[in-house]
Amino acid sequence: MVFAAPNEALARAEELLGADPSPLHASIAHQVIGIWQRDFGDTRRALAHLRSARDLAARADSADREADVLATLGVALVHSGRTREGLAAFEQGVARGTGHTRARVLYRRAYVWWVLGRHSEALEDVRRAIQVLRQVDDVIWTARALTLRATVHLALGAVERADADFAAAEALWDTTGQEHDKADAVESRGLAAFRSGDVPAALRLLDEAEERYAKLGTPTFMLTIRRCEVLMAAGLAPEALTEADGAIAALDGIGGQSTRKAELLLVAARAARLAGDPQTALARAAVAVRLFAGQRRTWYETHARLVLIEARVATGRGSGRLVADAAAVAERLAAFGAPAAPEASLLAGRIALGLGWTADAERHLAVAARSRHSGPPLARMTGWAAQALRARAAGSARGVLEACRRGLDVLDDHRMTLGASELRARATAQGAELAALAQRASLVSGGPRRLLVWSERWRATVLSAPPTRPPADPALLSGMTAFREIAARAEEARTDGGRPVPALEREQRRLEREIRSRTLHMRGEAPGDGDRFDVGRLLERLGDEVRLVELAVLDGRVHVLLCGRGRVRRFEAGLLAEAEREAEHVQAGLRRLAHPGAEARLPLVEAAGARLQELLLGPAAAHLGSGPVVVVPPGRLHRVPWALLPALRERVLSVSPSASSWLRAKETVPPPGGRQVLVRGPGLASGGAEVPELADRYGAAPRTPGSQEAWVSSPGGGRGKPAGADGGPARAPRPTGRPGAPDVPVGHGTHASPVTGRSGVRTGAGDGATHAPRTAAVVPCDDPDSPGAPDGAARAPWPAGRDAGAVHSETGGARGTYEQDDPSYGPGAEPPSGGRRAGPTVLEGDAVRVPRVLRELDGAALAHIAAHGTFRADSPLFSSLRMADGPLIVHDFERLDRSPYRIILSCCDTARFASVGADELLGLVTALLPLGTAGVVACSAPVNDAAVVPLMLALHKGLDAGLSLAEALRDARASLPGDAVHQATGWAFSAFGAA
């Protein structure tokens, strides 16, 4: 029972001891308590109970009972770090036991050999145990022994043998009620999936095992170790470090197993090194080495020494002693048959190269390179990295490029097994060294064209294929609904009371973890697009007028690749680190200029723009010509407001994550029908003042007499009463005011607007915004999408006799404007011959709910969303736009079949990204680009809301005249007043893509 129902077993054992049992029964009870304490509690208490159990077994004169207890005691002693005593207990147990009992003792000794890293001894003992256990038809212990043998095979890299044993064990577990062992089997299958390179399956199985353990109330320290290994392979090293450190603290709190603590320290050290924290890696690895040495666990100690050397190298150390240490570790790991041996050889070769010891480097790198043709993807990556370094040492640029190409192809195949865009992005970090080696080789021998090819080879690769569509998983869908509700309640509490609600925020974080976890389980469906970047095709599409400026970073310096007029030229600019610092100063300046009274900072910001130009463009700025410019920056420069640079300020300017993504956007065909969607989110101080104006511009005319309802403009910018309800006109005349903007209250924040004197800074959610009153919505009774109708209900047929071009209220109403009563004319359909263009879909009030908004956005030609934007640096895929029912997050956008062809986000921080992996970006804009969006206008800083309204109206005026987003944004900036607030607002917005 101690594994099937551990807490119940503990209670019954304690109850039995209170009933004055016989020595035999008391021995069993103490052994059960000892097992429980050993695995789930305090090892010191475990040893006390197990010694009592051993003494009572001797008094009961039962050799088999004594042998069984000695085996349990041996495991506990080894886990507490007393390896010599533990092995001595096993010697006694094997000698005292007979037959079936002896087989169980051998199985547990095999487990200890595995803990100690002595795999050949483990395989021998478990082989002998399985023979006897099968003969006596002991299903439970046979299944345990098969699971152990499979785990040992995995440690040796024998994945196929492990799979066979896991399958046999699982078939046996299905016939038993051993819930703990079943959970252990699921955990082991997760480990097998990881070793075979299937990261999504590994995460799914480990999460399932964790749920099973949670029902039993048992700690999961071994599961944490395995999960951390998978997280590191998926590029989530900071999360692995957090989990490992948390488990170490929990283990210390209960006085748990010393062996587990050492293993957790090793995992934490590896995670810290991969997360770029070598000092933490050094500290964790040093303690792990000391513990493993004391526990006589040479296999683990050797792995910990490898991490220790890697951390020392990462801190800038390099010496002959480190070469010798790394070589010794590589030899020991190879003798153990450990899969990490090539990694150690690569490390020794890399250190030797740094010292100029080419002969030594060649020897070590040749050994590491043998792994390039077999094994899991990351092992093959190690081999190709070693081969590339060998070629570089030999002076063969061709050899470097071939090895880098092969290695990145391996990583491409691995990435495409990952369904989650986050995992795909983070996994690219494992190819960063190969990409950098190839770029350096190209710079030396290939000229600007080859450097451009290799700059593109590993830039924004996640955008090369759409992410896997999230599954119709009821648990995931219900989790996202619950998340929106909790997030909305938390936001409402913060706005109304001014203080956060800890319980709601804890629940929100829990739901975020659950959603993210289920998303990471997705397996990739689409292979790589196979469409390699073609410089000739790019130059053809650019023509003679357009210039594309791609910025490549080599050894910390920016290299400008200027493409256009049939050629690629290279210019050297400044240092990346200096450009990053200057960009942060500019961002701070823009934030300040969003507030009135900061005019004196405008010259400082403009001067910073000039310095940025020198650092980022250098002499290339004088060769841009007079036509449009496309800027392709590296991920670390994503926050640069490019329109601030003097050479780009008056130009048609667009930004793209890569030249390849610009080409795809350029060649994307807009959807038929030209459907437009306008969205006004809640809580905007201006009421989304530009949206009614845009509805007029795009043809949202009032209903003709006889139609069911029409809306009128309200002074607050919201929708009013039905036309004719009080004898008034279909649309009230707009108040007079400043030309080009409605004379309505504006401002998403709390700072005075220079235009109206009211609130006027757009910031993220929870910024203390003043809420404009919402007007009552008029909802037609036959509309299933109205508030209160079940989400996703079928739309009611359009009423007969509806006039051509009539507007159906979108404050809770159904989608768009339809011609007459033709039900076939809907989203994506061309209007009937002779009919005028349908008006836009306008969503506001209670209609601005995530399912409805997504349904309308899907396949639209143009979408304009005025809503609070929030960027989440800690979890970029939870960056959001605030809707009536809660946040619309990046995970929601990934459910679209096709995102809008053009989308305008007139909100703060929508153009902010998290830079991850080798050169990847995660955020709202990059979620849209692979899904069919060819152009986005978004903002990278807090902006003044009053100034945004005329900018947006001017932008749409240009679009309505047939201009591209970049052309319209250029003209819109030029139309703004020359004061500091309006200028800063224009600079904060960028056009992405090519639409």
Side-chain angles (χ1 to χ4, degrees):
M1 282 183 63
V2 75
F3 295 113
N7 294 327
E8 185 180 349
L10 176 66
R12 288 181 61 174
E14 290 172 340
E15 180 184 350
L16 178 61
L17 287 177
D20 193 22
S22 67
L24 182 66
H25 291 173
S27 172
I28 293 172
H30 277 291
Q31 184 180 10
V32 166
I33 297 172
I35 291 172
W36 193 97
Q37 290 288 355
R38 180 195 70 193
D39 291 351
F40 315 130
D42 190 330
T43 54
R44 290 170 297 179
R45 292 182 181 179
L47 290 172
H49 280 285
L50 292 173
R51 288 185 176 117
S52 295
R54 178 196 59 193
D55 296 342
L56 288 163
R59 283 174 53 193
D61 198 24
S62 171
D64 279 348
R65 173 100 283 275
E66 190 176 354
D68 195 74
V69 175
L70 283 166
T72 304
L73 177 61
V75 173
L77 286 165
V78 170
H79 273 312
S80 65
R82 304 177 188 184
T83 303
R84 183 181 297 175
E85 293 178 56
L87 292 177
F90 274 111
E91 287 297 326
Q92 295 176 47
V94 170
R96 295 283 284 160
T98 58
H100 186 195
T101 300
R102 189 166 181 267
R104 291 184 174 188
V105 174
L106 287 170
Y107 155 74
R108 282 175 281 192
R109 189 169 71 174
Y111 166 78
V112 162
W113 290 133
W114 171 71
V115 169
L116 296 174
R118 294 168 63 172
H119 298 115
S120 58
E121 291 97 327
L123 288 175
E124 175 58 23
D125 271 358
V126 78
R127 180 190 62 78
R128 293 164 62 193
I130 287 173
Q131 289 177 343
V132 177
L133 294 171
R134 278 177 166 161
Q135 287 172 3
V136 299
D137 199 25
D138 186 338
V139 173
I140 291 174
W141 286 77
T142 300
R144 287 174 179 164
L146 288 168
T147 301
L148 173 61
R149 187 168 70 180
T151 305
V152 177
H153 282 318
L154 281 181
L156 295 171
V159 177
E160 292 182 2
R161 292 182 180 180
D163 284 339
D165 277 344
F166 279 136
E170 192 167 6
L172 293 176
W173 287 128
D174 286 341
T175 67
T176 75
Q178 296 293 116
E179 295 305 320
H180 187 280
D181 286 304
K182 288 180 182 179
D184 184 67
V186 174
E187 178 185 339
S188 298
R189 281 169 45 216
L191 179 62
F194 169 56
R195 294 284 187 247
S196 64
D198 193 343
V199 170
L203 289 170
R204 176 178 56 79
L205 289 164
L206 293 179
D207 285 348
E208 180 186 339
E210 186 173 28
E211 291 174 7
R212 289 173 177 256
Y213 288 130
K215 291 176 182 177
L216 298 171
T218 58
T220 54
F221 296 113
M222 192 68 229
L223 178 83
T224 298
I225 292 168
R226 289 170 171 171
R227 179 174 166 79
C228 287
E229 290 178 355
V230 180
L231 290 173
M232 285 185 280
L236 301 171
E239 290 182 34
L241 177 58
T242 300
E243 286 199 24
D245 280 348
I248 291 168
L251 194 67
D252 286 342
I254 63 172
Q257 299 170 355
S258 173
T259 52
R260 288 286 178 264
K261 180 175 180 178
E263 292 164 22
L264 284 164
L265 282 165
L266 171 57
V267 167
R270 289 187 57 226
R273 182 185 62 78
L274 292 173
D277 186 356
Q279 295 299 332
T280 298
L282 277 171
R284 302 286 190 280
V287 179
V289 167
R290 188 165 64 250
L291 286 175
F292 286 133
Q295 295 161 4
R296 300 192 176 191
R297 302 172 71 186
T298 310
W299 191 87
Y300 285 97
E301 180 191 350
T302 307
H303 282 79
R305 289 191 182 280
L306 172 60
V307 180
L308 192 62
I309 298 167
E310 289 174 329
R312 285 173 177 160
V313 172
T315 60
R317 305 180 197 178
S319 65
R321 174 64 183 272
L322 283 179
V323 174
D325 288 348
V329 165
E331 288 178 11
R332 274 191 233 119
L333 290 174
F336 293 143
E343 186 181 338
S345 294
L346 174 60
L347 178 62
R350 190 181 283 121
I351 302 169
L353 273 182
L355 296 172
W357 298 1
T358 53
D360 288 326
E362 168 60 23
R363 184 172 71 255
H364 298 306
L365 293 173
V367 173
R370 295 172 192 160
S371 67
R372 67 190 186 276
H373 295 303
S374 61
L378 298 184
R380 283 180 281 150
M381 285 280 298
T382 296
W384 285 115
Q387 186 67 11
L389 289 173
R390 292 178 73 196
R392 190 182 72 171
S396 171
R398 178 178 294 181
V400 171
L401 295 176
E402 175 63 13
C404 292
R405 182 185 66 79
R406 298 284 296 273
L408 292 178
D409 284 347
V410 170
L411 193 50
D412 271 343
D413 292 341
H414 168 63
R415 283 190 313 106
M416 296 313 295
T417 68
L418 309 174
S421 55
E422 179 180 4
L423 288 189
R424 288 186 184 180
R426 294 187 185 278
T428 60
Q430 290 142 353
E433 181 185 18
L434 287 173
L437 284 170
Q439 284 182 304
R440 290 189 195 102
S442 300
L443 183 63
V444 170
S445 66
R449 282 199 179 213
R450 180 173 287 178
L451 179 57
L452 176 63
V453 169
W454 278 101
S455 178
E456 281 291 300
R457 178 66 178 83
W458 209 239
R459 180 190 293 266
T461 57
V462 171
L463 305 184
S464 63
T468 300
R469 186 176 176 81
D473 176 0
L476 176 59
L477 295 175
S478 65
M480 293 182 74
T481 301
F483 161 74
R484 275 194 292 275
E485 180 181 348
I486 292 295
R489 287 171 58 194
E491 176 60 29
E492 184 178 359
R494 282 190 293 267
T495 302
D496 293 344
R499 278 191 273 175
V501 181
L504 290 175
E505 292 183 342
R506 282 195 300 271
E507 179 63 7
Q508 180 177 334
R509 288 193 296 269
R510 185 192 69 79
L511 289 167
E512 286 180 5
R513 287 194 299 269
E514 183 178 306
I515 292 167
R516 185 166 178 266
S517 175
R518 290 188 174 274
T519 303
L520 297 183
H521 296 170
M522 293 189 304
R523 185 170 175 80
E525 298 172 353
D529 60 5
D531 185 14
R532 293 296 187 198
F533 175 68
D534 183 345
V535 177
R537 180 166 147 244
L538 172 68
L539 294 173
E540 181 182 348
R541 294 296 289 172
L542 290 173
D544 291 336
E545 296 300 319
V546 183
R547 299 289 187 275
L548 184 140
V549 176
E550 179 146 333
L551 305 182
V553 179
L554 281 80
D555 299 321
R557 182 167 292 279
V558 177
H559 293 255
V560 183
L561 298 173
L562 181 61
C563 311
R565 303 195 70 176
R567 59 188 295 205
V568 180
R569 289 179 288 172
R570 182 180 68 85
F571 301 87
E572 275 196 26
L575 296 176
L576 176 65
E578 293 181 16
E580 287 183 285
R581 285 195 295 272
E582 203 65 55
E584 286 303 315
H585 294 155
V586 167
Q587 282 293 325
L590 291 179
R591 283 194 295 271
R592 186 66 188 88
L593 288 173
H595 303 267
E599 291 81 1
R601 288 186 175 267
L602 183 62
L604 299 177
V605 171
E606 291 182 308
R611 288 194 296 273
L612 266 178
Q613 175 171 303
E614 184 62 29
L615 289 167
L616 297 177
L617 299 181
H623 299 273
L624 295 177
S626 58
V629 172
V630 181
V631 177
V632 180
R636 290 166 62 182
L637 295 174
H638 66 276
R639 296 203 67 191
V640 172
W642 296 97
L644 176 62
L645 275 59
L648 304 176
R649 200 169 294 174
E650 308 299 327
R651 291 179 182 275
V652 174
L653 170 68
S654 58
V655 182
S656 182
S658 69
S660 300
S661 63
W662 181 83
L663 272 173
R664 283 192 300 276
K666 189 74 174 173
E667 295 168 358
T668 297
V669 178
R675 186 165 58 87
Q676 300 125 354
V677 180
L678 307 176
V679 179
R680 282 208 284 184
L684 302 176
S686 70
E690 70 265 29
V691 173
E693 297 284 330
L694 297 176
D696 281 348
R697 185 187 302 281
Y698 289 115
R703 281 204 182 278
T704 55
S707 62
Q708 290 185 343
E709 78 286 320
W711 49 265
V712 297
S713 172
S714 72
R719 296 293 164 86
K721 294 181 289 185
D726 57 0
R731 178 180 290 278
R734 180 164 290 105
T736 59
R738 176 175 45 81
D743 188 11
V744 296
V746 293
H748 293 198
T750 58
H751 303 281
S753 160
V755 178
T756 65
R758 304 199 181 196
S759 296
V761 179
R762 294 193 187 215
T763 63
D767 60 309
T770 303
H771 288 223
R774 279 204 297 246
T775 56
V778 178
V779 183
C781 61
D782 65 343
D783 184 4
D785 283 329
S786 64
D791 192 45
R795 289 185 166 85
W798 292 100
R802 178 161 292 170
D803 296 318
V807 173
H808 192 47
S809 169
E810 290 304 328
T811 311
R815 175 187 283 173
T817 303
Y818 286 65
E819 294 288 337
Q820 301 289 349
D821 58 349
D822 181 2
S824 66
Y825 176 51
E830 293 286 356
S833 176
R836 71 190 183 107
R837 184 180 69 180
T841 299
V842 183
L843 299 179
E844 57 186 357
D846 287 336
V848 186
R849 306 179 73 82
V850 170
R852 177 72 192 281
V853 171
L854 289 174
R855 193 158 63 245
E856 300 296 350
L857 292 180
D858 212 330
L862 173 66
H864 178 105
I865 301 178
H868 278 300
T870 302
F871 174 71
R872 287 279 302 275
D874 63 319
S875 191
L877 297 190
F878 281 92
S879 298
S880 63
L881 303 172
R882 197 202 306 174
M883 301 290 114
D885 58 340
L888 171 64
I889 59 177
V890 174
H891 289 298
D892 290 311
F893 280 115
E894 290 184 342
R895 305 190 74 85
L896 294 174
D897 284 330
R898 177 174 180 176
S899 57
Y901 176 71
R902 287 173 170 171
I903 185 165
I904 297 166
L905 302 171
S906 63
C907 349
C908 303
D909 290 339
T910 47
R912 287 187 62 186
F913 312 101
S915 180
V916 302
D919 199 11
E920 305 293 329
L921 295 171
L922 293 177
L924 282 170
V925 172
T926 53
L928 294 165
L929 292 176
L931 296 170
T933 292
V936 182
V937 168
C939 178
S940 64
V943 287
N944 186 283
D945 187 39
V948 168
V949 174
L951 179 71
M952 291 296 108
L953 293 175
L955 171 67
H956 281 272
K957 180 179 179 181
L959 295 179
D960 208 30
L963 301 181
S964 69
L965 285 173
E967 291 168 331
L969 184 59
R970 188 270 313 266
D971 291 353
R973 288 195 194 100
S975 73
L976 292 175
D979 61 87
V981 172
H982 285 90
Q983 292 300 304
T985 302
W987 293 331
F989 280 87
S990 297
F992 296 85

